[in-house]
Structures are given as structure tokens and as C-alpha cells.
Amino acid sequence: MAGWPEKRPLAGELDLAYGDKKLLLSGARLYVAETDAELFLHAAVDVSNTEIEADVSWRQLRWPFKPGPSQILSPDGQLNLQGSFEDWTSGGSLSLTLGDYPETRLQLEGSGSESSALVKLIDGQVLGGRIHGKVEAAWLEAPVWSAELSVQGVDPEPVLPGWPGQLDAGLLAQGDTAVGGLEVEISRLEGQLRGQHIRASGGFVYSDEQLAFRRLDIRTDELLLQVDGSSTTDAGVAFSAEGQLPGVLLDGASGQLQLNGRYRESLGLPGIEMQMEALDLI
């Protein structure tokens, strides 16, 4: 298996018992040899109606398991699951690290069936702030998903070095994995970024390798930036910027800017029209 270390087999131990139409699994421990990754499992399965009650916990799960930095690391976590394939519920908490980004702590509740799932993010700690929301997915026909997330007091600097701040935001997103479509709406975004007050709203749609904007509006105390439209339509993507260049955001730049433009594609070739007036630029 790609990403699995050579000469480090998956090993384990368990106690298994059967009686009164129930399969009991206790004391199960799985681990990867010569690593600190471990997974523990306790479960009871009613074979007469395929209902299950299970508790899973782990520590130091990572991928890939090869020596070196891990793309995904979960230092610890625990989840419980009960019900059947047709009607199940779950809950638990976990810590998660993606690449070099700071650790995130999440508390989850879930429910679903064999063809859909709803996961509620009851509470989470991410980038120095809080996050909560929900994610829904269905895969009976084309795999689709949607998410509604809210964050408070997050600092983007660990993700965007040199851009410290504190942001509150509400995001809506949905996608269709069969066609690779993605739609994102910023219902609200407000806070401080590099000492500047910033607000944003609007969204974008990505489909068929094309990006379309939906009234994306970004404002600071001194500058207004707006983008709207799709490059594949006759109107194209209209963009404008007006106000003072925010020196705190652009490393000391200053001056008055007024810009209007349009980007569109014709016969597969890109084209851009732009008018700009700038005063006292530094």
C-alpha cells in the first residue's frame, strides 16, 4: 500500500466471544510495528439485526506512516458508534494536524444511514479561535456534500505567514464530487488583518475548470475591491478597486487608486480591458 512503511506490519491483539446472538469484541488493540500509532476498539454486534455498539480510541495516527513529516496526524481521539447501517449515531472528539498547520481540536456528533451522513461540529479550536457548524453528505447517486461553518477569533497567520489578524466569518459551501463542482458563499467576514479593519461578502463557483464570482466584495477602511461574473459569458468578469492603497497590507505602498476592468475569454483566448487612474503612488 502506498504510504505504508516497509517492514512495519500492522499487528494486534483482541478478545472475541459469541453468545446469545451477540458478538463481543473487547480489549482489541491494533498498532504499527516500531511506531507509536495505536488504535483500541470495544464493540458488541447483535447478529440478529446487525446493530452495533462500539467505542474506538487512538493515539498518534498519521498518514503516511513512512519516516518524515506526516501530511495528516491525529495525536489522540475517541469516537462511539451505535445503531445499524440504516440508522446510526456517533459522537466523540479528536485532535488533528494537517501538515505544518497548528493542531485543531474538534468535538463531533453524527448520524446517518447507508446512503447519507450528517456531522455536527459542536465545538472546535482552530488557529487560536473557535469553529462550529455542520457537514452533510449523500452518495446514493452522485456523491454530493454541503457545509455550513462559523468561526470566531481565528488568526490566519499560521496559514498565511506575515498576515496576522483576528477574523470572524460565516461560510456556506457545497460540492458535487462526480463533476468536481464547488460553490462557496461568504455570508459574512469581518475583523482585523495586519492592523486594518476588513469586511467581505460574496462568493464563487468552480465548475468545469472555470471560476465564476458572485458579487465578491472586500472592504478595508481605505479601499473597496469588487469582482463579479464569469469569464465564459459575454459580460466576462468585471472587477474594480477604489480608494487609498492600504500601506499596511501592501508593505508601505500609498496613494489614490481607481481601477475598472473586465476579463473574458473568446474562442478560447483570454482578453482583458482595464482603465486605471493613480495619484501620488509610492
Side-chain angles (χ1 to χ4, degrees):
M1 179 185 297
W4 196 271
E6 295 183 4
K7 299 181 180 179
R8 292 186 181 179
L10 178 65
E13 53 196 34
L14 59 87
D15 294 325
L16 190 63
Y18 179 79
D20 195 23
K21 296 184 179 180
K22 287 188 177 181
L23 182 65
L24 302 177
L25 179 65
S26 61
R29 172 178 174 260
L30 299 176
Y31 59 93
V32 180
E34 298 183 15
T35 76
D36 51 4
E38 292 182 298
L39 184 144
F40 304 91
L41 172 64
H42 300 268
V45 181
D46 190 329
V47 297
S48 64
N49 56 18
T50 66
E51 290 194 351
I52 184 173
E53 293 184 13
D55 291 294
V56 183
S57 61
W58 64 86
R59 67 182 190 91
Q60 300 302 321
L61 292 187
R62 65 182 68 226
W63 190 261
F65 277 106
K66 293 180 178 180
S70 299
Q71 298 174 4
I72 302 173
L73 169 66
S74 181
D76 63 86
Q78 65 84 25
L79 294 173
N80 61 71
L81 174 68
Q82 56 187 0
S84 64
F85 286 112
E86 292 77 20
D87 183 13
W88 56 267
T89 60
S90 65
S93 62
L94 66 126
S95 57
L96 185 67
T97 301
L98 302 179
D100 296 327
Y101 297 147
E103 182 177 299
T104 298
R105 188 78 191 180
L106 305 174
Q107 181 181 352
L108 308 171
E109 288 183 359
S111 61
S113 66
E114 58 187 356
S115 59
S116 64
L118 166 64
V119 177
K120 295 180 180 180
L121 179 53
I122 305 303
D123 189 26
Q125 302 173 18
V126 57
L127 297 177
R130 316 292 297 191
I131 182 172
H132 64 273
K134 63 179 181 179
V135 179
E136 298 181 78
W139 50 86
L140 184 60
E141 297 178 356
V144 295
W145 62 271
S146 64
E148 182 178 343
L149 299 174
S150 177
V151 298
Q152 298 87 34
V154 299
D155 180 4
E157 186 172 27
V159 180
L160 300 172
W163 292 81
Q166 190 173 58
L167 300 174
D168 299 340
L171 303 174
L172 302 174
Q174 59 184 9
D176 186 335
T177 58
V179 297
L182 174 64
E183 181 176 344
V184 175
E185 177 185 349
I186 305 171
S187 56
R188 63 178 179 85
L189 185 150
E190 189 168 4
Q192 297 286 326
L193 193 62
R194 294 187 75 175
Q196 288 278 320
H197 184 250
I198 187 170
R199 303 183 306 277
S201 62
F204 65 88
V205 178
Y206 180 79
S207 181
D208 296 326
E209 298 185 353
Q210 298 292 333
L211 183 63
F213 295 92
R214 291 183 173 176
R215 296 183 179 180
L216 183 61
D217 183 299
I218 303 174
R219 301 170 183 259
T220 72
D221 293 333
E222 301 174 327
L223 183 70
L224 168 62
L225 173 65
Q226 295 178 310
V227 186
D228 187 41
S230 170
S231 62
T232 59
T233 64
D234 292 338
V237 177
F239 57 91
S240 65
E242 183 176 2
Q244 292 285 334
L245 284 175
V248 175
L249 298 184
L250 298 178
D251 295 328
S254 65
Q256 183 75 21
L257 174 70
Q258 184 168 351
L259 181 150
N260 291 281
R262 193 173 300 274
Y263 172 84
R264 71 187 93 193
E265 295 180 4
S266 179
L267 301 177
L269 298 176
I272 189 169
E273 306 168 6
M274 186 169 62
Q275 294 179 334
M276 183 175 69
E277 181 177 351
L279 299 174
D280 303 323
L281 290 184
I282 297 178

